[in-house]
Amino acid sequence: MLSSSAIKSKARELGFDICGIAPAADHPELYFFGDWLARGYAGEMAYLARSADRRADVRRVLPTARTVIVTGTVYNVDRPYSTECADPGRAHISRYAWGEDYHEVIERRLDALIVWMRETAREPFDALAYVDTGPVQERVYAAHAGIGWIGKNSCVINPGLGSWLFLAEVICSLALDTDVPAFDQCGACTLCLEACPTQALVAPGVLDSRRCISYLTIELRGPIPEPMRPHIGSHVYGCDICQEVCPWNATAPVSDDPAWQPRATWDQVNLRWLADKSDDELAVALRASAMRRAKTSGLRRNITVALENATGASRT
């Protein structure tokens, strides 16, 4: 018989650092998404509004859903935080994008988990797997699966693993034992809200994407608005500041998984060195990388802005 404990054990065997199970229920936190969209916080990410109805409940994605198996994978590696670097000429790239494309790596692991589940179960069942690309409010289900709470920086935080976690899920029709939801342990801490260079965290757990450096350097198409350019600093792809200042990440474990180790092109590189790369060289470096999201043109735009900021900083 396929049990929750057996699924968790197999998930760890396949490379996931944590696994929990949430009921496919009408969780109250799911309702905030509609309000967040109504405030315009999604910016130009129109696909979020188009899929809002499905994102409201996983049972609108898989009508037979009874449970959601949520996995977490640590991607933190042995490199200093950007906030520990005083060099304005260093190109800063979000930690999650340093290595292989997590979508592809984790999708293979989820597929292997489902294959094993079908071989082990005594009954047929429906299942859909997603790695950050499906119409699923995965942080809500992660919280209800006991993976961690949704912190003031809007990331899922686990007390032992921190927030450097790739989340993924299997929505299924199996009636599995579910976990106790995680409880908020941010307390009175507001370091992430105070550290955000663009004040994108407009309230605890509420992110205005339009002001977020990650949105501006990844999701935004076209020029970065002039008023926001100085705040980009030397970030060329994403931003981790709100996670770096989080006390729960002060002792976050380090992964030795080869998939997450930084590629040479992105490993603590100089902005000028990166700017001197041709578009063809950048395109090669973006292959099988999550950074393909910004495309070569977007990355070139970001490098130009960051270099302008670094040049100005060096003159002061």
Side-chain angles (χ1 to χ4, degrees):
M1 183 176 179
L2 188 59
S3 67
S4 296
S5 59
I7 291 172
K8 294 175 184 178
S9 178
K10 186 63 178 180
R12 288 186 176 276
E13 180 184 318
L14 290 171
F16 297 107
D17 293 291
I18 190 170
C19 178
I21 301 173
D26 191 22
H27 301 297
E29 298 91 338
L30 293 169
Y31 290 95
F32 174 70
F33 182 62
D35 180 55
W36 183 81
L37 286 174
R39 297 183 195 180
Y41 290 162
E44 294 182 6
M45 295 184 288
Y47 66 90
L48 293 175
R50 289 195 298 268
S51 60
D53 184 65
R54 299 179 75 201
R55 290 175 187 272
D57 192 323
V58 292
R59 290 170 294 189
R60 298 180 187 178
V61 179
L62 183 68
T64 58
R66 300 175 75 178
T67 50
V68 181
I69 302 165
V70 184
T71 63
T73 306
V74 173
Y75 62 86
N76 186 38
V77 295
D78 188 19
R79 293 293 188 279
Y81 289 165
S82 67
T83 47
E84 298 171 341
C85 176
D87 180 8
R90 173 72 57 80
H92 293 306
I93 297 165
S94 277
R95 194 162 288 248
Y96 80 86
W98 291 352
E100 300 301 307
D101 187 341
Y102 69 95
H103 301 93
E104 298 176 2
V105 176
I106 294 179
E107 183 178 14
R108 290 194 293 269
R109 296 176 185 179
L110 281 187
D111 288 344
L113 178 62
I114 294 175
V115 167
W116 172 84
M117 288 170 60
R118 295 199 187 282
E119 292 172 347
T120 307
R122 296 178 180 176
E123 57 181 301
F125 62 90
D126 300 324
L128 284 176
Y130 291 112
V131 186
D132 195 31
T133 55
V136 180
Q137 294 189 54
E138 57 187 9
R139 291 175 303 163
V140 173
Y141 293 98
H144 281 271
I147 299 295
W149 69 95
I150 301 175
K152 291 178 182 177
N153 61 3
S154 78
C155 299
V156 169
I157 305 173
N158 178 279
L161 301 177
S163 66
W164 306 110
L165 292 170
F166 289 130
L167 299 177
E169 55 281 332
V170 176
I171 307 168
C172 69
S173 59
L174 292 169
L176 302 167
D177 291 333
T178 57
D179 289 283
V180 176
F183 63 93
D184 192 321
Q185 297 185 57
C186 281
C189 179
T190 56
L191 288 177
C192 58
L193 281 75
E194 296 161 6
C196 179
T198 58
Q199 290 78 56
L201 291 164
V202 296
V206 184
L207 178 73
D208 183 347
S209 296
R210 299 168 300 182
R211 300 189 61 82
C212 179
I213 292 174
S214 288
Y215 169 82
L216 293 168
T217 58
I218 301 173
E219 297 294 334
L220 182 67
R221 302 298 178 231
I224 294 173
E226 287 289 342
M228 304 302 294
R229 288 178 149 222
H231 301 293
I232 298 296
S234 56
H235 292 87
V236 300
Y237 186 92
C239 176
D240 291 331
I241 291 175
C242 66
Q243 295 192 79
E244 292 177 348
V245 301
C246 178
W248 291 102
N249 283 332
T251 57
V254 171
S255 173
D256 59 3
D257 191 326
W260 317 134
Q261 304 310 307
R263 297 178 175 185
T265 307
W266 318 126
D267 192 6
Q268 305 182 83
V269 296
N270 179 271
L271 270 172
R272 173 55 66 185
W273 179 85
L274 199 57
D276 288 340
K277 292 292 182 184
S278 68
D279 284 355
D280 287 343
E281 289 175 310
L282 290 177
V284 169
L286 290 176
R287 289 175 184 168
S289 165
M291 290 175 68
R292 287 177 297 177
R293 180 75 175 173
K295 302 180 181 179
T296 305
S297 58
L299 186 57
R300 177 69 67 195
R301 173 201 63 186
N302 300 339
I303 293 171
T304 299
V305 171
L307 193 58
E308 290 173 353
N309 290 335
T311 301
S314 65
R315 291 173 179 167
T316 59

